[in-house]
Structures are given as structure tokens and as C-alpha cells.
Amino acid sequence: MTIEVAYERRGAGEPLVLIHGIGHHWRAWEPVLDLLAEAHDVIAIDLPGFGRSPVPADGMPADMAQTVAAVAQWFDEQGLHRPHVAGNSLGGAIALELAAAGLVASATAIAPAGFWKRWQVRYALTVLTALRWGTLLPQPMVRANMRPARTRALAFAMLMSHPGRIDAERAVADALALRTGAGFGPVAKVAGRGYEFRGEPSVPVTVAWGDRDRILLPRQAGIARDRLPQARHVTLPGCGHVPMSDDPALLAEVILATTARRT
């Protein structure tokens, strides 16, 4: 069965696939797209069940293994042989799993899921679910709330350390993506069952964590260091859970340093 995936594509060079987190969409990467496109054929995707990508005909993947298989199948359908990947949160975990399976040339995992304790999983899902509830107001009210800079900053304060850097149009788009993401519930259930990353990638890997992450707390970076001693570990100063918006230049530099490495 063909996997239907919406995406934004820019640039030329070795392919680099960007994978967003739960409840987000390809536009999470918009602040860094053009910077990365200077060196790569950049493909920012909407995961199945998020953004403009529909839920697969046979339903959402039941676990991480099925999610990775679906992404790998899409790679094959698009003729992407071992692209570089970068992912944030859920997307970071997917990037690492693809690296452990030998399906990519390199992986940059930004605050990846799977390095948490049980209470930290519950905490993260509680916060994200509450943020989603806040988008369930009538759409005109959502749009009105995102117009003033002050309410926009409040709405995104848990995700970004500099929420004022997101403009009103992008804020509305992100809020509606969180609201309409049919994959949110099924993916949250998979995470709630205690997913952990335990793979051993043999390709270049960077794990990057914002030191102001309020969703997947920075202390989880220590668990990642223990489990992935061969990886490059980077702290993103002044960044929250979505550092693409907090410091695009720094994050692009981190990703490009990873794609430039060779095993």
C-alpha cells in the first residue's frame, strides 16, 4: 500500500529529510529550511495523520516499529536511498530508529522521545494534551487569540523559549495543525505504553537538547548520553523544545555539522 505523505521540498544536493514532533507539521522546520537548502535537497514531511498527510487506510501505526517501517517505505517510494534525517521530539526518535536500522546516512535528533522516565512521559503528554485542548475553541477565536503578540507568546511559551519570534500566521497554522492532527491520540498511546530508544546506530548521530526545554526536560539528555556514548551530544543554549524557532542559525549549524560527517 502506498504511503501518502505531504511535504515541502527545497534546495539541491544530498537529500535531508526533516521529521516533526507529535501534533506538529512540516512548518515546524520553516525557520531553518532555506539555511539547510543551501547544502541539501531538503524534504520536510508531514507524518501520516499530521498536517496535510492523511491517516493511512489501514489506520495509524500501532508502535514505533510500524512507524519506522512506514517512513522507510515512503523513502523507497520516493527513491530516497539512505538520506540524511533530522527530527524533533517524536521525529527525533524516528530519526534515531532509522539510523539504528541502517536506513539513513546520518541522524540529528533534537530533544528525541524515548529517553525518559515514566513520570516524564506522563508529564510531557499532559502538557501537550492541554495545549491541544487550547486549540479546540472555534476557529475565529483561535485566530483572534493568535493575533496579539502577548497571547501568542503565552500560547507557545511551553514549546519555545522565545515564543515572540513566531508570527501570527505561523502561530495559527501551528495551532490548527495541533487541533486537527488525527494521529495525536494514537501516537500518545504508543508513547504512554513506555516506548524507549534502545538501538545502536552505526552512522553519524547527533543528539541536541535545548537547555530550556519544558516538554522533554533537559535532564533526559543525560540518559541519551549514557545510551548513545558514540554519538555527538550538543546543548542548545537558550532554546526550548522547538529550537528551530528559538535559534534557527544554531540549529542549522548543528544539523549541517552532522550531515558533513562520515562513518
Side-chain angles (χ1 to χ4, degrees), residues 17 37 41 50 55 59 61 65 111 117 159 161 193 206-207 225 230 258:
V17 178
D41 172 13
F50 296 98
V55 173
K117 297 181 180 179
L159 295 172
S161 63
R193 289 199 295 266
T206 296
V207 178
R225 288 178 187 274
Q230 304 304 318
T258 310

Side-chain angles (χ1 to χ4, degrees), residues 19-110:
I19 310 172
H20 61 78
I22 183 174
H24 225 155
H25 57 160
W26 74 263
R27 292 193 67 182
W29 300 96
E30 201 163 29
V32 299
L33 277 183
D34 288 337
L35 293 171
L36 297 174
E38 293 176 6
H40 288 282
D41 172 13
V42 181
I43 308 152
I45 69 172
D46 285 342
L47 288 167
F50 296 98
R52 293 179 289 115
S53 294
V55 173
D58 55 351
M60 289 293 293
D63 54 27
M64 180 59 78
Q66 289 187 16
T67 300
V68 172
V71 174
Q73 179 183 331
W74 185 77
F75 284 176
D76 288 343
E77 292 169 358
Q78 299 299 310
L80 297 171
H81 176 66
R82 297 185 77 245
H84 300 279
V85 292
N88 176 221
S89 196
L90 164 67
I94 293 171
L96 290 175
E97 294 285 358
L98 288 164
L103 298 173
V104 297
S106 74
T108 306
I110 303 142

Side-chain angles (χ1 to χ4, degrees), residues 21-230:
I22 183 174
H24 225 155
H25 57 160
W26 74 263
R27 292 193 67 182
W29 300 96
E30 201 163 29
V32 299
L33 277 183
D34 288 337
L35 293 171
L36 297 174
E38 293 176 6
H40 288 282
D41 172 13
V42 181
I43 308 152
I45 69 172
D46 285 342
L47 288 167
F50 296 98
R52 293 179 289 115
S53 294
V55 173
D58 55 351
M60 289 293 293
D63 54 27
M64 180 59 78
Q66 289 187 16
T67 300
V68 172
V71 174
Q73 179 183 331
W74 185 77
F75 284 176
D76 288 343
E77 292 169 358
Q78 299 299 310
L80 297 171
H81 176 66
R82 297 185 77 245
H84 300 279
V85 292
N88 176 221
S89 196
L90 164 67
I94 293 171
L96 290 175
E97 294 285 358
L98 288 164
L103 298 173
V104 297
S106 74
T108 306
I110 303 142
F115 298 97
W116 42 32
K117 297 181 180 179
R118 293 289 294 178
W119 73 265
Q120 293 168 336
V121 180
R122 292 193 295 270
Y123 164 79
L125 292 177
T126 298
V127 172
L128 292 169
T129 299
L131 291 174
R132 193 173 192 230
W133 286 344
T135 70
L136 299 181
L137 297 168
Q139 282 200 32
M141 191 174 295
V142 172
R143 294 180 184 278
N145 285 344
M146 295 303 168
R147 202 169 295 129
R150 178 172 295 182
T151 55
R152 193 162 68 242
L154 287 172
F156 286 87
M158 290 299 291
L159 295 172
M160 305 167 187
S161 63
H162 301 288
R165 294 178 183 175
I166 186 171
D167 63 30
E169 187 275 332
R170 164 82 187 286
V172 169
D174 282 7
L176 295 180
L178 180 57
R179 170 193 183 124
T180 61
F184 185 95
V187 171
K189 287 181 181 178
V190 171
R193 289 199 295 266
Y195 164 75
E196 293 185 349
F197 179 77
R198 293 287 184 180
E200 297 181 1
S202 58
V203 299
V205 167
T206 296
V207 178
W209 226 290
D211 63 2
R212 297 185 186 177
D213 195 325
R214 295 176 179 173
I215 303 295
L216 298 183
L217 305 177
R219 68 187 69 176
Q220 295 173 42
I223 300 174
R225 288 178 187 274
D226 290 341
R227 292 192 195 160
L228 292 170
Q230 304 304 318

Side-chain angles (χ1 to χ4, degrees), residues 8-24:
E8 174 75 5
R9 194 166 193 167
R10 300 181 191 176
E14 292 183 342
L16 166 62
V17 178
L18 306 178
I19 310 172
H20 61 78
I22 183 174
H24 225 155

